[in-house]
Amino acid sequence: MSGAEREVVIRLRGIRNQFGTQVVHDGLDLDVYRGEVLGVVGGSGTGKSVLLRTIVGLQEPAAGEIEVLGVDARTHDEDKRQALRRRWGVMFQDGALFSSLTVRENVEVPLRDVAAGGAETARLDDETRHALADLKIALSGLPPFAGDKYPSELSGGMRKRAGLARALALDPDIVFLDEPTAGLDPIGAAEFDRLIRRLSRALGLTVFMVTHDLDSLHACCDRIAVLAEKKVLVTGTMAEMLEVDHPWVHEYFHGPRARAALASAAE
């Protein structure tokens, strides 16, 4: 199916992000399609995480349009913004968990927040809410005992999975992942890549993944978006990236690490 025929669930046009006199993005355009895993890459300072934070409303752009799931994400209607935010989940680096809460309690936070807003989950009793949290914990690949643990009692990989479980709490349409395999050993990173791919297919998730991990790009991404020169320079499959004639793109996708990742993916 061509891009013209696919449903666009994230549409960015003319995005400009700047901090003081430093312009990070200028005239940035990007479409993300339903059901795909999009890997966002770029050199240091290209604003990969800034772009993620812009889409989810944590960074207000100086200019541009952001449409998510057919809704203007920059609307001043707070009810619409809150309703939209319930349709995505975000996993920040290292999970960004509340240290004073157990894993289960962390996963329950979005459910409690929605209940406080008077939505459907307001009718959930404690037992049902706990059961839903345990289901998300299981989906993230954590063992049952992890629900009673505090973040400080978990390994880095387990914290990331707990962060993913929380991102899945409200059965989102879209999941945003910020460097999900950073800091993991090769085995743990490969397991996380397989988990993301499996969940995307099983749940029909659209995944927006900021990463620098070439193995992840090979293992679970349908398309790649390259940030350079303050915009999305190019998008395409891994095979298409190998044909791009741009110095940074060529070095990134043809360098020693890229060759090693390609060899590993071919095994």
Side-chain angles (χ1 to χ4, degrees), residues 13-73:
R13 292 293 183 270
I15 298 298
R16 180 181 176 89
N17 277 311
Q18 65 183 96
F19 302 91
T21 59
Q22 180 187 5
V23 178
V24 180
H25 303 134
D26 193 12
L28 184 150
D29 297 338
L30 178 65
D31 287 339
V32 182
Y33 302 118
R34 181 174 293 279
E36 75 172 345
V37 179
L38 178 75
V40 179
V41 303
S44 177
T46 55
K48 300 181 293 295
S49 294
V50 170
L51 182 60
L52 184 156
R53 292 171 63 86
T54 298
I55 299 171
V56 301
L58 297 176
Q59 163 69 33
E60 185 68 22
E65 301 174 4
I66 305 172
E67 184 180 283
V68 182
L69 297 166
V71 178
D72 176 9

Side-chain angles (χ1 to χ4, degrees), residues 14-15 47 67 94 109 137 143 154 158 173 190 201 221 230 248 261:
I15 298 298
E67 184 180 283
D94 200 37
V109 167
I137 290 168
L154 302 178
M158 293 179 76
D173 294 279
R201 295 300 176 258
C221 291
K230 302 179 183 178
W248 188 90

Side-chain angles (χ1 to χ4, degrees), residues 35-242:
E36 75 172 345
V37 179
L38 178 75
V40 179
V41 303
S44 177
T46 55
K48 300 181 293 295
S49 294
V50 170
L51 182 60
L52 184 156
R53 292 171 63 86
T54 298
I55 299 171
V56 301
L58 297 176
Q59 163 69 33
E60 185 68 22
E65 301 174 4
I66 305 172
E67 184 180 283
V68 182
L69 297 166
V71 178
D72 176 9
R74 300 190 67 190
T75 178
H76 295 294
D77 186 323
E78 190 58 30
D79 289 339
K80 288 184 178 180
R81 291 178 70 134
Q82 288 298 330
L84 182 59
R85 288 168 183 163
R86 294 177 192 126
R87 299 182 66 187
W88 67 55
V90 184
M91 193 200 94
F92 296 102
Q93 292 186 40
D94 200 37
L97 302 168
F98 296 106
S99 60
S100 61
L101 302 180
T102 66
V103 168
R104 183 180 297 105
E105 289 168 339
N106 266 280
V107 176
E108 288 183 30
V109 167
L111 297 171
R112 292 181 182 277
D113 285 348
V114 172
E120 289 298 315
T121 50
R123 295 196 292 268
L124 294 179
D125 55 40
D126 289 348
E127 183 178 354
T128 302
R129 195 170 57 249
H130 295 339
L132 284 173
D134 286 341
L135 173 61
K136 306 306 180 182
I137 290 168
L139 281 175
S140 71
L142 286 171
F145 68 80
D148 295 319
K149 299 291 186 181
Y150 288 91
S152 62
E153 300 175 304
L154 302 178
S155 67
M158 293 179 76
R159 284 196 299 274
K160 286 179 181 289
R161 289 174 183 265
L164 178 61
R166 187 175 63 186
L168 295 172
L170 296 177
D171 297 324
D173 294 279
I174 305 170
V175 172
F176 295 90
L177 308 176
D178 192 2
E179 298 283 7
T181 59
L184 297 182
D185 62 77
I187 294 175
E191 290 176 346
F192 201 94
D193 288 338
R194 287 192 291 270
L195 173 65
I196 294 303
R197 189 69 177 178
R198 187 166 63 248
L199 289 175
S200 172
R201 295 300 176 258
L203 303 178
L205 292 172
T206 302
V207 179
F208 182 101
M209 180 170 67
V210 171
T211 185
H212 69 280
D213 192 331
L214 282 155
D215 288 320
S216 295
L217 297 177
H218 280 284
C220 63
C221 291
D222 299 298
R223 282 196 312 141
I224 299 163
V226 178
L227 296 188
E229 301 173 9
K230 302 179 183 178
K231 61 184 179 181
V232 175
L233 184 71
V234 63
T235 62
T237 63
M238 177 61 73
E240 290 169 332
M241 291 299 106
L242 296 175

